[in-house]
Short mmCIF file of all heavy atoms in Angstrom, two decimals:
data_model
loop_
_atom_site.label_atom_id
_atom_site.label_comp_id
_atom_site.label_asym_id
_atom_site.label_seq_id
_atom_site.Cartn_x
_atom_site.Cartn_y
_atom_site.Cartn_z
N GLY A 293 20.65 91.91 -13.71
CA GLY A 293 19.89 91.85 -12.47
C GLY A 293 18.41 91.68 -12.70
O GLY A 293 17.99 91.98 -13.82
N ALA A 294 17.74 91.19 -11.70
CA ALA A 294 16.25 90.94 -11.91
C ALA A 294 15.56 90.93 -10.59
O ALA A 294 16.16 90.78 -9.51
CB ALA A 294 16.10 89.65 -12.65
N VAL A 295 14.25 91.08 -10.74
CA VAL A 295 13.34 90.91 -9.57
C VAL A 295 12.22 89.97 -10.02
O VAL A 295 11.74 90.06 -11.12
CB VAL A 295 12.90 92.26 -8.97
CG1 VAL A 295 12.06 92.99 -9.95
CG2 VAL A 295 12.12 91.95 -7.63
N TRP A 296 11.87 89.05 -9.14
CA TRP A 296 10.77 88.13 -9.28
C TRP A 296 9.48 88.83 -8.74
O TRP A 296 9.42 89.08 -7.61
CB TRP A 296 11.12 86.89 -8.46
CG TRP A 296 10.13 85.79 -8.38
CD1 TRP A 296 8.77 85.87 -8.70
CD2 TRP A 296 10.40 84.55 -7.92
NE1 TRP A 296 8.20 84.61 -8.45
CE2 TRP A 296 9.20 83.73 -7.93
CE3 TRP A 296 11.59 83.85 -7.45
CZ2 TRP A 296 9.12 82.41 -7.60
CZ3 TRP A 296 11.46 82.48 -7.02
CH2 TRP A 296 10.24 81.75 -7.07
N LEU A 297 8.56 89.14 -9.68
CA LEU A 297 7.37 89.84 -9.30
C LEU A 297 6.23 88.86 -9.18
O LEU A 297 5.84 88.20 -10.15
CB LEU A 297 7.04 90.92 -10.33
CG LEU A 297 8.15 92.06 -10.45
CD1 LEU A 297 7.83 92.87 -11.65
CD2 LEU A 297 8.30 92.82 -9.20
N GLY A 298 5.54 88.83 -8.05
CA GLY A 298 4.44 87.94 -7.79
C GLY A 298 3.16 88.66 -7.58
O GLY A 298 2.02 88.21 -7.81
N GLU A 299 3.26 89.99 -7.12
CA GLU A 299 2.05 90.66 -6.76
C GLU A 299 1.11 90.90 -7.94
O GLU A 299 -0.08 91.01 -7.75
CB GLU A 299 2.53 92.04 -6.17
CG GLU A 299 1.40 92.91 -5.54
CD GLU A 299 1.01 94.05 -6.37
OE1 GLU A 299 1.59 94.23 -7.48
OE2 GLU A 299 0.16 94.85 -5.96
N ILE A 300 1.67 90.88 -9.10
CA ILE A 300 0.88 91.06 -10.33
C ILE A 300 -0.05 89.90 -10.58
O ILE A 300 -0.97 90.00 -11.33
CB ILE A 300 1.89 91.20 -11.56
CG1 ILE A 300 1.12 91.83 -12.85
CG2 ILE A 300 2.57 89.88 -11.91
CD1 ILE A 300 2.09 92.20 -13.95
N LEU A 301 0.12 88.78 -9.90
CA LEU A 301 -0.83 87.68 -10.06
C LEU A 301 -2.26 88.02 -9.74
O LEU A 301 -3.17 87.43 -10.19
CB LEU A 301 -0.38 86.44 -9.18
CG LEU A 301 0.98 85.78 -9.48
CD1 LEU A 301 1.02 84.45 -8.74
CD2 LEU A 301 1.26 85.70 -10.90
N LYS A 302 -2.45 89.13 -8.94
CA LYS A 302 -3.78 89.49 -8.64
C LYS A 302 -4.54 89.97 -9.93
O LYS A 302 -5.76 90.01 -9.94
CB LYS A 302 -3.74 90.73 -7.57
CG LYS A 302 -3.19 91.96 -8.24
CD LYS A 302 -3.12 93.09 -7.16
CE LYS A 302 -2.54 94.39 -7.92
NZ LYS A 302 -2.17 95.46 -7.00
N ASN A 303 -3.78 90.27 -10.89
CA ASN A 303 -4.38 90.69 -12.24
C ASN A 303 -4.06 89.69 -13.30
O ASN A 303 -3.83 90.04 -14.51
CB ASN A 303 -3.91 92.11 -12.63
CG ASN A 303 -4.60 93.16 -11.86
OD1 ASN A 303 -5.81 93.07 -11.68
ND2 ASN A 303 -3.95 94.12 -11.36
N ARG A 304 -4.05 88.37 -12.95
CA ARG A 304 -3.59 87.37 -13.95
C ARG A 304 -4.52 87.34 -15.17
O ARG A 304 -4.00 87.15 -16.30
CB ARG A 304 -3.53 85.99 -13.32
CG ARG A 304 -4.81 85.43 -12.68
CD ARG A 304 -4.56 84.09 -12.11
NE ARG A 304 -4.29 84.15 -10.60
CZ ARG A 304 -3.29 83.43 -10.04
NH1 ARG A 304 -2.61 82.57 -10.66
NH2 ARG A 304 -3.10 83.64 -8.74
N GLU A 305 -5.81 87.59 -15.02
CA GLU A 305 -6.69 87.53 -16.20
C GLU A 305 -6.28 88.66 -17.19
O GLU A 305 -6.30 88.49 -18.37
CB GLU A 305 -8.15 87.65 -15.83
CG GLU A 305 -8.76 86.42 -15.01
CD GLU A 305 -8.43 86.51 -13.50
OE1 GLU A 305 -7.77 87.55 -13.13
OE2 GLU A 305 -8.83 85.62 -12.77
N LYS A 306 -6.03 89.84 -16.56
CA LYS A 306 -5.70 91.02 -17.44
C LYS A 306 -4.39 90.77 -18.15
O LYS A 306 -4.21 91.14 -19.30
CB LYS A 306 -5.65 92.22 -16.58
CG LYS A 306 -7.02 92.69 -16.16
CD LYS A 306 -6.86 93.95 -15.21
CE LYS A 306 -8.28 94.30 -14.66
NZ LYS A 306 -8.22 95.25 -13.50
N VAL A 307 -3.44 90.18 -17.50
CA VAL A 307 -2.10 89.82 -18.12
C VAL A 307 -2.34 88.92 -19.27
O VAL A 307 -1.87 89.11 -20.36
CB VAL A 307 -1.12 89.34 -17.11
CG1 VAL A 307 0.13 88.85 -17.82
CG2 VAL A 307 -0.83 90.38 -16.01
N ASN A 308 -3.17 87.82 -19.05
CA ASN A 308 -3.42 86.88 -20.09
C ASN A 308 -4.04 87.57 -21.25
O ASN A 308 -3.66 87.35 -22.49
CB ASN A 308 -4.27 85.75 -19.56
CG ASN A 308 -3.49 84.71 -18.89
OD1 ASN A 308 -2.63 84.94 -18.08
ND2 ASN A 308 -3.85 83.37 -19.18
N GLN A 309 -5.01 88.41 -21.01
CA GLN A 309 -5.76 89.15 -22.11
C GLN A 309 -4.78 89.99 -22.82
O GLN A 309 -4.74 89.95 -24.12
CB GLN A 309 -6.79 89.92 -21.47
CG GLN A 309 -7.90 90.35 -22.52
CD GLN A 309 -9.04 91.13 -21.86
OE1 GLN A 309 -8.99 91.52 -20.68
NE2 GLN A 309 -10.10 91.32 -22.57
N LEU A 310 -3.98 90.73 -22.23
CA LEU A 310 -3.01 91.60 -22.90
C LEU A 310 -2.07 90.87 -23.74
O LEU A 310 -1.80 91.31 -24.90
CB LEU A 310 -2.15 92.42 -21.84
CG LEU A 310 -1.02 93.19 -22.29
CD1 LEU A 310 -1.56 94.44 -22.94
CD2 LEU A 310 -0.04 93.62 -21.18
N LEU A 311 -1.65 89.70 -23.34
CA LEU A 311 -0.60 88.93 -24.05
C LEU A 311 -1.22 87.91 -24.91
O LEU A 311 -0.43 87.08 -25.56
CB LEU A 311 0.40 88.32 -23.08
CG LEU A 311 1.18 89.39 -22.18
CD1 LEU A 311 2.03 88.60 -21.21
CD2 LEU A 311 1.87 90.35 -22.99
N GLY A 312 -2.54 87.80 -25.00
CA GLY A 312 -3.21 86.82 -25.79
C GLY A 312 -3.01 85.40 -25.35
O GLY A 312 -3.15 84.40 -26.13
N ALA A 313 -2.70 85.20 -24.06
CA ALA A 313 -2.47 83.86 -23.56
C ALA A 313 -3.79 83.23 -23.19
O ALA A 313 -4.69 83.81 -22.64
CB ALA A 313 -1.58 83.95 -22.30
N PRO A 314 -3.95 81.89 -23.61
CA PRO A 314 -5.22 81.27 -23.32
C PRO A 314 -5.34 80.97 -21.75
O PRO A 314 -4.38 81.01 -21.00
CB PRO A 314 -4.98 79.87 -23.99
CG PRO A 314 -3.53 79.65 -24.13
CD PRO A 314 -2.95 81.04 -24.19
#
Side-chain angles (χ1 to χ4, degrees):
Chain A
V295 62
W296 175 344
L297 300 171
E299 190 254 3
I300 196 170
L301 299 195
K302 70 182 181 190
N303 281 316
R304 60 182 92 220
E305 292 85 0
K306 289 178 186 166
V307 173
N308 276 44
Q309 197 175 14
L310 175 72
L311 302 177

